[in-house]
Amino acid sequence: MNTALNNPLPPMAVGRYQDADNNNVPLPFSVEEVERARRAYSRLLSSFHLRSRSNILITGLLHESAQIIPLERAVMSEGMVAISADSHLFDARRVESITRGFSLAGAIGITPETLTGLEQHGHKPEQLFADMVIWAKAGAYETLKQHPQLNVFRIADIGPVKAMECSHGAGVHVDRFEWQVSEDNGEIVLTSRLARSTPFQQYHTGVKGRVITSACKCGNIDPRIELTEG
């Protein structure tokens, strides 16, 4: 019996995630989950050896609070400064302003919408994001990787999980303490290992990928997902 499913934690707030049919599903989440996710993100960020007091841009949407809050706290716990912007088309001008006004060491969560907005305002992403670490979502990742001078890594929404690559770029990491990760005909399936406000049992995410269980070169033994199309 999975006790994580039988003892839900009291929520501190409610976010959302996208299910396999691209529907937005409410995601109550707790203080404990935020702290556990913070620790997992900190492990990934530490692999990049970014300088203390560096500025990191985090782009996302309000409903992604369950994933964005621990990410912001991870940045701060690593001694860096988190600067926020929305990841939709209409906030691209603010992204450009932040990128121009601050000496950024990294930008997390860059989307195709942000890239489109930047280009509509006459800005070249390959110039704006030069000399920093970039974590980009599907579509934006492929676009930015066309510029070999950029340091681009993946970030992906896998059901309720926002998974990121470490400095070795060999698949997005998923916290081994929080989640059991498996495949079903190439689809990523998640099960909660610990108590959550919203527990998951054999949850089919709709995300296609291959689970890698060998230790990463960064030393992290979290399972990694090599994302595939279709």
Side-chain angles (χ1 to χ4, degrees):
M1 180 180 297
N2 189 342
T3 56
L5 302 176
N6 298 323
N7 298 287
L9 297 173
M12 63 173 276
V14 179
R16 285 189 292 175
Y17 69 96
Q18 282 196 327
D19 65 14
D21 297 317
N22 294 320
N23 297 312
N24 288 318
V25 181
L27 181 65
F29 62 98
S30 64
V31 172
E32 292 90 337
E33 290 165 68
V34 169
E35 174 57 20
R36 296 190 314 239
R38 180 200 66 78
R39 292 197 295 265
Y41 287 135
S42 290
R43 292 199 298 272
L44 298 177
L45 291 172
S46 65
S47 75
F48 289 88
H49 304 292
L50 298 169
R51 290 184 178 182
S52 178
R53 290 184 288 183
S54 296
N55 297 312
I56 305 293
L57 171 65
I58 301 175
T59 63
L61 298 174
L62 182 61
H63 69 255
E64 296 179 290
S65 55
Q67 298 85 10
I68 296 295
I69 290 173
L71 187 51
E72 290 176 338
R73 293 186 181 182
V75 167
M76 292 185 286
S77 71
E78 291 296 307
M80 298 180 287
V81 179
I83 305 171
S84 299
D86 288 344
S87 60
H88 57 57
L89 179 75
F90 305 106
D91 214 28
R93 182 171 289 177
R94 184 162 175 248
V95 169
E96 185 276 332
S97 177
I98 291 170
T99 305
R100 178 169 41 83
F102 294 86
S103 178
L104 295 179
I108 302 175
I110 300 302
T111 63
E113 292 78 12
T114 295
L115 297 185
T116 298
L118 289 172
E119 291 167 353
Q120 287 180 352
H121 290 295
H123 305 296
K124 295 183 177 181
E126 65 271 23
Q127 295 177 354
L128 286 174
F129 295 129
D131 303 319
M132 69 177 75
V133 181
I134 311 151
W135 289 267
K137 291 191 175 184
Y141 174 85
E142 290 77 10
T143 297
L144 294 173
K145 284 293 283 186
Q146 294 176 22
H147 303 282
Q149 75 274 22
L150 296 181
N151 198 16
V152 189
F153 298 86
R154 292 185 186 274
I155 185 168
D157 294 311
I158 302 173
V161 178
K162 192 176 289 293
M164 299 170 59
E165 287 187 321
C166 72
S167 60
H168 289 275
V172 294
H173 288 248
V174 178
D175 183 11
R176 66 187 182 276
F177 300 107
E178 192 76 37
W179 300 101
Q180 175 184 319
V181 186
S182 60
E183 298 173 34
D184 183 1
N185 292 321
E187 181 182 7
I188 301 302
V189 179
L190 299 175
T191 295
S192 309
R193 288 188 181 276
L194 300 172
R196 300 175 59 87
S197 295
T198 306
F200 293 85
Q201 174 69 41
Q202 291 292 302
Y203 177 74
H204 285 66
T205 63
V207 176
K208 298 294 184 179
R210 180 174 71 93
V211 178
I212 304 170
T213 57
S214 58
C216 182
K217 290 181 179 179
C218 72
N220 195 327
I221 61 173
D222 287 343
R224 286 168 288 137
I225 298 172
E226 186 180 80
L227 299 168
T228 58
E229 295 181 0

